[in-house]
Amino acid sequence: MGIDKRVTLSNGVRMPYLGFGVFKLGDGEETTNAVKIALETGYRGIDTASYYGNEESVGRAIKESGVEREDLFITSKVWNDEQGYNATLRAFERSLERLQTDYLDLYLIHWPVPGLYTETWQALEKLYHEGKVCAVGVSNFEPHHLEAISKISSVKPVINQIEFHPELLQGEVRDYCRSKGIQVEAWSPLKRGQVLNEPVIQTIGKQHGKTPAQVVLRWCLQHDIVLNVKSSKEERIKENADLFDFELTGEEMVSIDSLHADNRIAHHPDSLDFYEKTVPGFKKSQYSS
């Protein structure tokens, strides 16, 4: 098995272990060309979001690639200022139009906006029951957010996409998700390149004849983490897919785990300041204890 390796989610849908992400790739040729190269390389999972502002470019690349829609696994996400039941349904339709598709394989709540994420989830549940999306999930959710969803819905998330890299192991979240049959997916597994100069990672790379990035991505896969990789450069796109001809030892896995420092590059999901900045009308005073 290689780049075509897939995991079976809790609802039976099969998702690529390795997907191609487009966060911070500009709308236009940069994204279109990168996605086309990724598809030519063999990637079949594409991860985007309304917030990224490049869904149209992704849709154009898919159309021009000639890859059959049923062979792809397309993920998008509803952003913070689009949340709420009716607003989410409208946001979903806009994403479909930009992506030039009539369904998504996976639709996620981007962040758990207090006061909105439960009704946003109910909108995702409606889309799932209507067959407009094959699977629904969340991103950046803590266990208490997932518990709140479980109390109001018969449909459980199949995915929790979280910040995960050698300096942030997210043990509590991963343990909770594992206990509930929720697949964990990593965003920014390389910590935007910040972990690649770690001596332990470089040493392991030399031992395997692999780059530091390939070592970290392989480490994610061996933790049973689905992941998305991103680059606009053809050489890097292909390099990031070359992960299936080597395996890290148990000792090497532990040595990379030891880099954990509870160090984030993004906001904690419970940061009310973040939601006040991203949701018009949100008042953190309403949710402060």
Side-chain angles (χ1 to χ4, degrees):
M1 297 292 284
I3 193 172
D4 57 346
K5 183 177 182 182
R6 296 197 176 213
V7 60
T8 301
L9 304 175
S10 62
N11 69 339
V13 168
R14 291 178 56 76
M15 177 182 186
Y17 262 102
L18 184 67
F20 186 73
V22 296
F23 178 54
K24 288 202 170 181
L25 292 184
D27 191 32
E29 285 191 14
E30 182 182 37
T31 294
T32 299
N33 291 338
V35 172
K36 288 168 73 172
I37 292 169
L39 293 174
E40 290 169 4
T41 301
Y43 292 84
R44 288 298 177 261
I46 305 295
D47 181 275
T48 186
S50 62
Y51 177 70
Y52 300 169
N54 54 22
E55 287 176 311
E56 287 185 350
S57 299
V58 171
R60 188 178 309 116
I62 290 170
K63 185 75 71 176
E64 294 176 0
S65 74
V67 177
E68 295 295 330
R69 174 64 183 89
E70 57 266 28
D71 293 333
L72 298 174
F73 192 97
I74 303 174
T75 300
S76 194
K77 313 174 192 75
V78 57
W79 182 241
N80 299 345
D81 63 2
E82 299 172 314
Q83 290 193 37
Y85 187 82
N86 290 322
T88 295
L89 296 177
R90 292 192 293 269
F92 177 81
E93 293 299 330
R94 291 194 295 270
S95 286
L96 287 188
E97 182 176 353
R98 290 190 289 258
L99 289 163
Q100 301 184 59
T101 184
D102 56 3
Y103 73 98
L104 289 181
D105 297 277
L106 179 63
Y107 198 44
L108 307 178
I109 302 177
H110 212 144
W111 289 86
V113 179
L116 289 175
Y117 72 86
T118 52
E119 64 176 278
T120 299
W121 182 257
Q122 290 174 322
L124 265 64
E125 183 179 24
K126 173 181 171 65
L127 294 169
Y128 178 71
H129 284 313
E130 291 178 345
K132 294 182 177 181
V133 59
C134 300
V136 286
V138 297
S139 182
N140 303 300
F141 273 47
E142 293 288 301
H144 69 91
H145 301 124
L146 293 164
E147 282 291 316
I149 282 178
S150 70
K151 293 176 181 177
I152 55 93
S153 175
S154 60
V155 177
K156 75 175 183 179
V158 297
I159 286 281
N160 188 11
Q161 187 182 109
I162 60 175
E163 180 180 348
F164 177 80
H165 46 72
E167 292 186 2
L168 186 67
L169 297 185
Q170 298 262 40
E172 181 183 356
V173 177
R174 287 166 53 214
D175 288 345
Y176 177 88
C177 288
R178 188 180 302 111
S179 72
K180 301 296 182 180
I182 300 170
Q183 174 67 49
V184 173
E185 181 176 12
W187 63 260
S188 198
L190 303 179
K191 201 188 176 193
R192 297 177 186 166
Q194 295 176 31
V195 299
L196 301 183
N197 291 324
E198 289 287 349
V200 65
I201 292 173
Q202 293 194 340
T203 298
I204 292 171
K206 290 175 182 177
Q207 292 171 344
H208 289 275
K210 293 291 183 178
T211 66
Q214 289 170 322
V215 168
V216 175
L217 298 176
R218 181 69 205 183
W219 169 81
C220 290
L221 291 175
Q222 288 185 219
H223 270 303
D224 195 32
I225 304 291
V226 171
L227 67 153
N228 294 299
V229 293
K230 181 206 78 174
S231 179
S232 60
K233 299 177 181 178
E234 182 172 358
E235 179 182 356
R236 189 63 54 82
I237 291 170
K238 293 179 177 179
E239 175 188 294
N240 287 340
D242 187 19
L243 309 175
F244 300 93
D245 60 350
F246 76 108
E247 187 169 339
L248 302 178
T249 67
E251 183 178 351
E252 289 169 336
M253 291 290 292
V254 170
S255 66
I256 298 175
D257 289 351
S258 69
L259 296 174
H260 172 70
D262 201 25
N263 191 347
R264 296 176 181 269
I265 56 175
H267 306 274
H268 189 283
D270 288 327
S271 171
L272 296 179
D273 288 333
F274 172 58
Y275 301 119
E276 193 164 52
K277 292 176 182 176
T278 57
V279 182
F282 184 92
K283 301 295 182 183
K284 66 179 183 180
S285 59
Q286 294 178 298
Y287 301 95
S288 301
S289 56

